[in-house]
Amino acid sequence: MITKDKPSLDSTAESIYLSNADFVIREQCRRREDVIAHENYQKEQISKLSTENASLNAENAILADRFEDITAKYDDAAKEIIRLKKLLEEKGLSY
């Protein structure tokens, strides 16, 4: 090593190494904090979207029930129209 014969350089090299090592450690800590923050954000988004999805599923179920009711009423009305048309034809009346 370069500093083997020069103790003053040995101290300088050690200081540089520690400074760089501290930077690497700080950088690793920053990256770790970024990953943790990102994971927390993802968890919040998943929770929020899951709640929204459940709400929309409930709303869809209500709308599906309403659609079935409307379809049943439409079918009943169509049958009534057909019955009335037949009745008119039987009586010899035109519509």
Side-chain angles (χ1 to χ4, degrees):
M1 194 162 150
I2 297 173
T3 62
K4 188 175 185 179
D5 296 331
K6 299 180 182 174
S8 63
L9 286 179
D10 190 39
S11 175
T12 303
E14 186 175 334
S15 294
I16 292 171
Y17 172 78
L18 289 175
S19 295
N20 287 337
D22 287 345
F23 173 77
V24 171
I25 290 170
R26 283 193 311 268
E27 189 64 21
Q28 287 174 343
C29 290
R30 187 194 60 79
R31 287 181 185 160
R32 180 173 170 241
E33 288 173 359
D34 288 348
V35 168
I36 291 170
H38 182 69
E39 286 176 357
N40 288 337
Y41 174 75
Q42 292 297 321
K43 286 178 186 177
E44 288 173 10
Q45 291 299 310
I46 288 170
S47 176
K48 176 183 169 187
L49 292 174
S50 295
T51 302
E52 185 178 341
N53 190 30
S55 173
L56 291 174
N57 283 335
E59 188 177 336
N60 282 342
I62 292 169
L63 292 175
D65 288 343
R66 288 183 186 169
F67 179 76
E68 288 177 12
D69 291 344
I70 290 170
T71 302
K73 288 177 183 177
Y74 175 81
D75 289 343
D76 291 344
K79 288 176 186 176
E80 181 67 10
I81 290 170
I82 291 170
R83 187 187 71 78
L84 291 172
K85 283 183 180 180
K86 285 182 183 177
L87 186 61
L88 285 172
E89 287 175 4
E90 288 173 3
K91 302 291 181 182
L93 301 171
S94 62
Y95 48 90

